[in-house]
Amino acid sequence: MVYTGPGDVSLGRARSRSQSSHESRTPSLHQPGLSRRSSMSAGHPQGLKQVDTSKIGVPIVTPRKERPGHVRSLTGSYFPAQKGVVTMEDEWPIGDEKTWKTALKDMEFDHEDEQEVANTVVRHVSTSLARQAYNIDAIAAYQATALSVRDRLLERWNETALHHTKKAPKRIYYLSIEWLIGRSLDNAVLNLGMRNTYEGATQKLGFNFEDLLNEERDAGLGNGGLGRLAACYIDSMATLNIPGWGYGLRYNYGIFKQLISSTGEQLEAPDPWLDRENPWEIARLDVAYPIRFYGRVENVPNSDKAVWSGGMECLAVAYDTPIPGFNTKNCANIRLWSAKPVQGFDLNSFNAGNYEASVAASSEVENITRVLYPNDNMYAGKKLRIMQQYLWVSGSLQDILRRFTKLDLPWTDLPDYVCIQMNDTHPTLAIPELMRILIDEEELSYETAWNITTKVFAYTNHTVLPEALERWQLDLFETLLPRHLQIIYRINYDFMQAVAKRFPGDMDRMRRMSIIEEGTPKYVRMAYLAIVGSFKVNGVAELHSQLLQATIFRDFVEFKGRDFFTNVTNGITPRRWLLQCNPSLAALITHTLGNDHWLTHLKTLKQLLPMSENEEFRKAFTSIKMENKQRLADLVEAELGITLDIESIFMTQIKRLHEYKRQTLNLFAVIYRYLRIKKASPEERKKITKHTAIFAGKAAPGYYVAKLVIRLINNVARVVNNDPDVGHLLKVVFIPDYSVSIAEVLVPASDVSVQISTAGTEASGTSNMKLALNGALLLGTVDGANVEIAEDAGEDQSFLFGHLTEQVEGVRFTNSYQPTPLEQRSAELAEVFKAVESGTFGEGSTYESLLKTVYEHDYYLVSNDFGSYLAAENLMDECYANNKTEWTKKSILTAFNMGDFSSDRSVQDYADGIWSVEPCEVPNGDNL
């Protein structure tokens, strides 16, 4: 971190050039290159040069004209010195071409030869890890195997980068604050088509491949569905040969490691997922962009330009993670930014004995990317979040624009070559940042810059809850990003002028639509900025998109028209969520169809629908489900000490804890079932269908009510699982520290997918798709993507309940303004609450604030939907207990009707309807 004086223009990149003529956009260098000679005499053969001590620690920008003719690009390719030339077929960039190509040829080997694959693993054991056969353990074997696989990925990555550089297609850049990619080894070898080869090679080297897979930690880069969706989409982009990259942040720690205390409470511990070296990332320490915070702004007279100077500077340093496509040579990339100080150590302070001050600057900067989602219940947390978001979007834009300027085209052509998809509102700062770069650095007029910007960005909304729309206090912008606040004010002024012209005198409409929310304090509405600065806005399920247009964005629909808004229903990648997590079912599908074409054309599964009437197929399908249930039961017993009956219904609710997702509704039904069992006679108990209720998910550290739900789940489990009267009739399991890898075990084992959000609150959901694809029947409300899943699977295969979206507001009004006692709303739920309050599951007063959310107002209709939920459960129980054949038919019909929920379909919808990008497939043999 460096505090610069008024003369510092390190971010201001002085240059004069026409709009149509660009020198290469390269990272600003903050120190001169040093040779092995003394830094004092380096570059000065005539002797020592006087050192200006006032310049020590001040960033130095290398002028563009001093860059060498051949510049190494940040995509790993080389560009020729001649401007405007993209093809490189006749030009070898460096050294002797024959020597290079012979060396590259020598790296090739037979990917189906287990010995040759083993050779690459052993090479990494010896050279990368400095180990031998005598001192290698499972962790080292995993690392060596991963590095060997990464070599294969990098071959494809380099070929993809070179091909895209030659062809210069329009590219899509997907900006997501989360990337919940899970483990990479198994997914990589499957997409490379080398799973069997690596399994055989590692077996010959003395290691079980499954054991090596378990040595990998889940990447701590995400928390929930937002990050998993992004991971599915980048996989599909690579598979569909869509030229594009993902951009995110490289967090040192995941959101947190979830622990459960002896009293059932969630405890948050650091998740140091990078403690071990991450073999999948490539550190691009030469790819570093300057980022500024604070400072002051001086407007340039007679222009739209301003100079933002002073304040604090740091660097956004790139780390790349290659993502291979399936059955293609194309390889996508996720570029993650890590915050680094410009000058990380103050030697003068250290020598003076002020050790804390000597590293204070470094610590402040590195905190920016230290943790995913710092707690924003306090001002400091809000400030850190904005710093995270700005570093991310600024580094990404500088990188994207650097790539575009290599084409030597006018800035007005930018929308023809670049499309930026914003995954929710977190990247919205990219809009004023692009404006700042185009106006202040590239010297375009405001009108020209705005015309370009509004053709580059598209925005995906993920919520219908007004309170969930991101907004930040205006004074945070005044302090941290003063230039951006100026630009936002100008955007809002022009937008308000347009609204006033369209709707004269409608001041209330202007107040509702303003990007700046007036009041004390004032706020910047990020969703509104995203809408105003984008050319297209989409929801993520049919119902969600309809609700957006009818509720929270209604004013914008009336202003911009319905065509401005569209829908792209979410999807999941079948490569991970069937082939990888449920290989036995995938093998059955492939065997029955006669090929694996379905892995990239999921709708092909419809051809298997008649197999629901085939007894042998049903037996095989059921056998696979029971094997998966046994695998989960073994894991639960080994890790949690709870014995599960695999003949029971496995009911799974796996998602982050939130009141609108209504884990409470599920839990209260579990308690009600427990009370019924306790009251029942031995003969009556024989008629009760056995249940296993499985919960998993994290609550935000500052979300008190959600954490109380976790505590109650665990205390209910402690009582129920140890009650001899209950036995195997009911088990309750909370699986801590939910992750992608845990989901890969839970999803194939589930009989029922519990999706019970209050109607009109869930945007889409993706766990419902994963569970359905693996044959779990839907127990859910008419909400989010449940609607489309039920339509495709057939409502006869689903157990739907609860109030509909159009009824919810009326019920809420009654709950708040014409309240009735809980006993009248639901006598069954009142019985449950009495059991909780009486201390059946621990001190009753502990849960007072949780129960109060239902007693008073009941905003999420838990009491109002409880009766219909119990009725749906009863129908489900009857089918499972009395007609297993019918249950299996329903499961088969559900799984094989899920072809529309592939992320390949979603990405193709984006490509055709929003991005306007074409595939750019790497042909075989396209290499150096």
Side-chain angles (χ1 to χ4, degrees):
M1 181 181 70
V2 170
Y3 286 88
T4 56
D8 175 49
V9 291
S10 58
L11 283 186
R13 294 188 194 162
R15 52 184 164 275
S16 61
R17 60 186 183 188
S18 69
Q19 185 179 333
S20 63
S21 178
H22 307 288
E23 298 175 17
S24 63
R25 173 177 291 273
T26 54
S28 298
L29 303 180
H30 288 263
Q31 62 180 23
L34 301 181
S35 72
R36 293 181 181 273
R37 296 173 289 163
S38 163
S39 59
M40 292 183 67
S41 59
H44 305 288
Q46 297 173 344
L48 298 179
K49 181 181 178 181
Q50 185 68 32
V51 176
D52 183 355
T53 56
S54 67
K55 299 296 183 182
I56 294 176
V58 176
I60 297 174
V61 180
T62 302
R64 292 174 186 269
K65 63 183 181 181
E66 294 182 8
R67 305 298 289 173
H70 275 93
V71 182
R72 179 184 181 278
S73 82
L74 308 190
T75 57
S77 304
Y78 284 81
F79 291 85
Q82 185 181 350
K83 289 184 179 181
V85 177
V86 176
T87 179
M88 295 163 286
E89 295 174 357
D90 299 325
E91 181 179 0
W92 187 255
I94 191 169
D96 178 62
E97 181 176 355
K98 181 179 179 182
T99 301
W100 272 94
K101 290 191 173 181
T102 301
L104 291 168
K105 187 74 174 175
D106 192 56
M107 294 169 59
E108 298 176 2
F109 67 92
D110 184 354
H111 288 189
E112 297 182 3
D113 188 314
E114 290 181 1
Q115 182 59 57
E116 292 197 27
V117 168
N119 293 348
T120 67
V121 175
V122 171
R123 189 177 302 119
H124 279 293
V125 170
S126 301
T127 59
S128 302
L129 306 179
R131 298 283 193 101
Q132 304 176 55
Y134 301 99
N135 67 347
I136 186 172
D137 55 13
I139 294 176
Y142 155 71
Q143 290 174 323
T145 303
L147 289 169
S148 169
V149 175
R150 192 186 77 168
D151 289 346
R152 312 287 77 77
L153 296 184
L154 290 177
E155 291 169 1
R156 295 190 177 192
W157 195 93
N158 282 326
E159 290 180 29
T160 303
L162 180 65
H163 183 68
H164 288 172
T165 298
K166 288 179 180 179
K167 297 296 183 181
K170 183 176 184 179
R171 304 189 193 215
I172 171 66
Y173 297 104
Y174 197 85
L175 270 58
S176 180
I177 197 79
E178 296 184 35
W179 291 94
L180 201 61
I181 57 178
R183 293 172 174 172
S184 296
L185 177 55
D186 202 17
N187 187 69
V189 293
L190 284 170
N191 278 13
L192 289 169
M194 299 182 69
R195 217 288 189 171
N196 293 338
T197 313
Y198 268 97
E199 189 169 2
T202 52
Q203 186 72 39
K204 289 180 178 179
L205 292 174
F207 294 94
N208 183 289
F209 192 68
E210 292 294 331
D211 293 340
L212 300 188
L213 295 178
N214 289 331
E215 291 296 330
E216 183 175 359
R217 280 183 170 176
D218 277 46
L221 298 171
N223 177 43
L226 187 80
R228 186 54 237 169
L229 182 74
C232 285
Y233 280 2
I234 198 73
D235 175 279
S236 288
M237 285 167 63
T239 298
L240 295 174
N241 305 310
I242 301 294
W245 279 18
Y247 281 98
L249 288 172
R250 181 181 182 265
Y251 307 102
N252 296 77
Y253 296 89
I255 187 166
F256 59 82
K257 182 176 179 61
Q258 185 187 52
L259 305 174
I260 303 300
S261 73
S262 58
T263 58
E265 296 172 87
Q266 170 182 289
L267 303 177
E268 298 92 28
D271 175 23
W273 73 283
L274 287 173
D275 272 5
R276 294 182 195 168
E277 184 179 355
N278 177 13
W280 301 104
E281 69 179 11
I282 302 100
R284 301 290 193 186
L285 302 183
D286 58 325
V287 182
Y289 293 100
I291 310 296
R292 185 184 302 279
F293 296 102
Y294 308 107
R296 61 188 171 280
V297 179
E298 297 178 19
N299 294 314
V300 176
N302 302 316
S303 76
D304 296 317
K305 183 178 177 180
V307 177
W308 180 25
S309 61
M312 180 185 93
E313 269 194 10
C314 63
L315 297 175
V317 179
Y319 289 78
D320 288 342
T321 301
I323 305 294
F326 181 82
N327 200 27
T328 176
K329 293 187 72 175
N330 281 56
C331 188
N333 184 50
I334 302 174
R335 174 156 285 179
L336 304 174
W337 301 106
S338 183
K340 302 293 183 185
V342 174
Q343 183 182 13
F345 182 68
D346 184 348
L347 184 60
N348 289 334
S349 294
F350 186 85
N351 287 338
N354 195 350
Y355 304 130
E356 290 184 3
S358 68
V359 294
S362 175
S363 296
E364 184 175 352
V365 168
E366 291 176 351
N367 279 341
I368 296 174
T369 51
R370 198 174 298 280
V371 179
L372 167 65
Y373 291 149
N375 189 344
D376 63 356
N377 285 354
M378 61 201 79
Y379 188 84
K382 292 180 173 66
K383 176 180 170 184
L384 188 54
R385 282 213 185 184
I386 289 185
M387 294 178 80
Q388 280 188 340
Q389 292 181 8
Y390 179 63
L391 179 134
W392 161 43
V393 301
S394 180
S396 301
L397 277 172
Q398 291 182 69
D399 199 43
I400 292 166
L401 297 182
R402 186 274 318 155
R403 196 170 294 115
F404 171 75
T405 57
K406 294 289 184 181
L407 300 176
D408 197 31
L409 295 170
W411 283 110
T412 50
D413 286 354
L414 182 67
D416 295 329
Y417 290 86
V418 169
C419 179
I420 298 174
Q421 185 70 42
M422 299 186 294
N423 192 26
D424 216 345
T425 54
H426 308 109
T428 306
L429 278 171
I431 292 170
E433 173 66 359
L434 179 57
M435 290 290 289
R436 183 193 67 80
I437 292 172
L438 293 178
I439 296 169
D440 296 351
E441 298 188 16
E442 304 303 334
E443 301 181 348
L444 303 186
S445 69
Y446 178 92
E447 289 73 18
T448 302
W450 184 241
N451 188 48
I452 293 168
T453 297
T454 52
K455 293 177 181 177
V456 165
F457 290 99
Y459 160 49
T460 299
N461 173 275
H462 286 277
T463 184
V464 292
L465 304 178
E467 65 272 19
L469 293 176
E470 192 177 37
R471 60 179 194 156
W472 296 112
Q473 286 179 220
L474 190 139
D475 61 341
L476 285 168
F477 283 84
E478 287 178 329
T479 303
L480 288 170
L481 302 169
R483 177 56 175 149
H484 297 76
L485 183 58
Q486 282 187 344
I487 293 170
I488 291 169
Y489 271 135
R490 174 69 185 274
I491 293 171
N492 193 51
Y493 176 80
D494 289 352
F495 179 59
M496 289 291 95
Q497 292 290 101
V499 172
K501 184 176 180 180
R502 178 80 178 275
F503 303 98
D506 195 340
M507 300 303 295
D508 189 55
R509 180 184 295 270
M510 292 180 66
R511 177 189 58 78
R512 295 196 308 267
M513 297 181 71
S514 175
I515 295 169
I516 306 298
E517 180 181 332
E518 300 295 339
T520 306
K522 294 182 179 180
Y523 288 92
V524 178
R525 295 161 162 163
M526 304 307 284
Y528 291 8
L529 177 58
I531 293 171
V532 174
S534 297
F535 66 86
K536 187 71 80 171
V537 175
N538 73 279
V540 290
E542 286 288 354
L543 177 61
H544 171 235
S545 295
Q546 292 168 14
L547 288 173
L548 285 182
Q549 296 181 44
T551 57
I552 58 177
F553 295 154
R554 180 177 177 178
D555 288 331
F556 290 92
V557 173
E558 293 175 358
F559 179 77
K560 288 181 170 287
R562 289 197 177 275
D563 290 345
F564 182 80
F565 294 84
T566 188
N567 175 69
V568 180
T569 298
N570 285 346
I572 57 171
T573 169
R575 273 79 64 180
R576 183 178 288 268
W577 295 111
L578 191 46
L579 177 62
Q580 181 175 329
C581 77
N582 200 346
S584 297
L585 181 56
L588 176 64
I589 293 169
T590 299
H591 173 76
T592 307
L593 288 174
N595 58 65
D596 65 358
H597 183 68
W598 61 274
L599 284 167
T600 50
H601 299 81
L602 197 60
K603 290 185 180 181
T604 307
L605 293 182
K606 275 188 173 290
Q607 297 175 19
L608 295 175
L609 293 177
M611 301 307 293
S612 64
E613 301 298 330
N614 184 296
E615 184 178 355
E616 290 303 313
F617 189 89
R618 288 200 304 269
K619 285 182 179 178
F621 190 91
T622 301
S623 176
I624 290 167
K625 177 64 73 174
M626 298 306 286
E627 289 173 7
N628 288 326
K629 291 174 75 171
Q630 188 62 58
R631 178 174 64 147
L632 175 59
D634 292 343
L635 179 66
V636 168
E637 184 163 19
E639 297 292 330
L640 303 177
I642 302 172
T643 302
L644 304 183
D645 184 349
I646 64 170
E647 296 294 335
S648 66
I649 301 182
F650 279 21
M651 298 181 59
T652 303
Q653 189 175 22
I654 43 177
K655 48 187 77 246
R656 64 186 173 89
L657 272 289
H658 197 289
E659 289 169 90
Y660 84 82
K661 294 179 182 289
R662 297 203 297 190
Q663 282 90 351
T664 48
L665 186 60
N666 186 1
L667 176 61
F668 295 153
V670 169
I671 296 173
Y672 183 71
R673 180 174 291 268
Y674 171 70
L675 298 176
R676 277 179 51 215
I677 294 171
K678 292 291 287 182
K679 292 177 184 176
S681 66
E683 283 303 311
E684 289 172 329
R685 287 175 185 172
K686 291 179 182 178
K687 300 177 183 179
I688 296 176
T689 305
K690 292 184 286 187
H691 271 219
T692 296
I694 301 169
F695 298 85
K698 296 179 179 180
Y703 197 166
Y704 178 67
V705 170
K707 294 175 78 170
L708 272 183
V709 175
I710 291 176
R711 183 172 183 174
L712 184 55
I713 291 171
N714 283 301
N715 284 316
V716 168
R718 176 178 51 80
V719 172
V720 170
N721 297 340
N722 293 289
D723 190 328
D725 291 340
V726 175
H728 287 295
L729 285 177
L730 179 62
K731 294 291 183 182
V732 182
V733 180
F734 184 86
I735 298 178
D737 209 33
Y738 180 57
S739 64
V740 174
S741 296
I742 291 174
E744 288 170 7
V745 179
L746 283 172
V747 166
S750 300
D751 294 306
V752 175
S753 169
V754 182
Q755 310 290 333
I756 55 178
S757 54
T758 310
T761 60
E762 183 71 83
S764 171
T766 52
S767 67
N768 46 9
M769 301 172 189
K770 296 159 194 164
L771 289 158
L773 183 60
N774 284 271
L777 302 190
L778 173 64
L779 172 62
T781 48
V782 183
D783 195 29
N786 291 356
V787 178
E788 292 159 79
I789 289 173
E791 287 176 352
D792 284 15
E795 290 190 20
D796 290 344
Q797 276 61 257
S798 305
F799 303 94
L800 302 178
F801 73 95
H803 287 84
L804 301 178
T805 301
E806 56 267 26
Q807 300 170 325
V808 168
E809 281 304 317
V811 177
R812 281 177 176 161
F813 181 87
T814 301
N815 288 347
S816 295
Y817 299 104
Q818 300 169 2
T820 55
L822 180 61
E823 288 80 2
Q824 294 182 27
R825 282 179 275 156
S826 173
E828 298 90 346
L829 188 58
E831 183 183 349
V832 168
F833 277 27
K834 287 176 183 176
V836 174
E837 291 167 331
S838 68
T840 305
F841 309 106
E843 180 60 46
S845 61
T846 300
Y847 306 106
E848 181 180 350
S849 57
L850 171 60
L851 303 184
K852 189 176 180 180
T853 64
V854 179
Y855 276 131
E856 301 177 6
H857 308 301
D858 194 7
Y859 186 79
Y860 295 107
L861 279 62
V862 174
S863 61
N864 309 97
D865 282 349
F866 193 66
S868 60
Y869 178 75
L870 294 178
E873 262 198 356
N874 288 336
L875 289 174
M876 182 188 72
D877 286 354
E878 288 175 14
C879 182
Y880 188 84
N882 302 326
N883 198 336
K884 288 288 179 63
T885 298
E886 185 64 23
W887 183 277
T888 303
K889 287 182 180 180
K890 289 178 180 291
S891 184
I892 291 170
L893 293 173
T894 296
F896 298 153
N897 270 308
M898 290 300 106
D900 232 11
F901 298 96
S902 168
S903 53
D904 296 347
R905 188 271 313 152
S906 301
V907 166
Q908 193 63 59
D909 285 354
Y910 275 105
D912 295 340
I914 298 178
W915 301 339
S916 298
V917 294
E918 297 290 337
C920 188
E921 184 175 2
V922 178
N924 288 325
D926 190 356
N927 53 43
L928 289 174

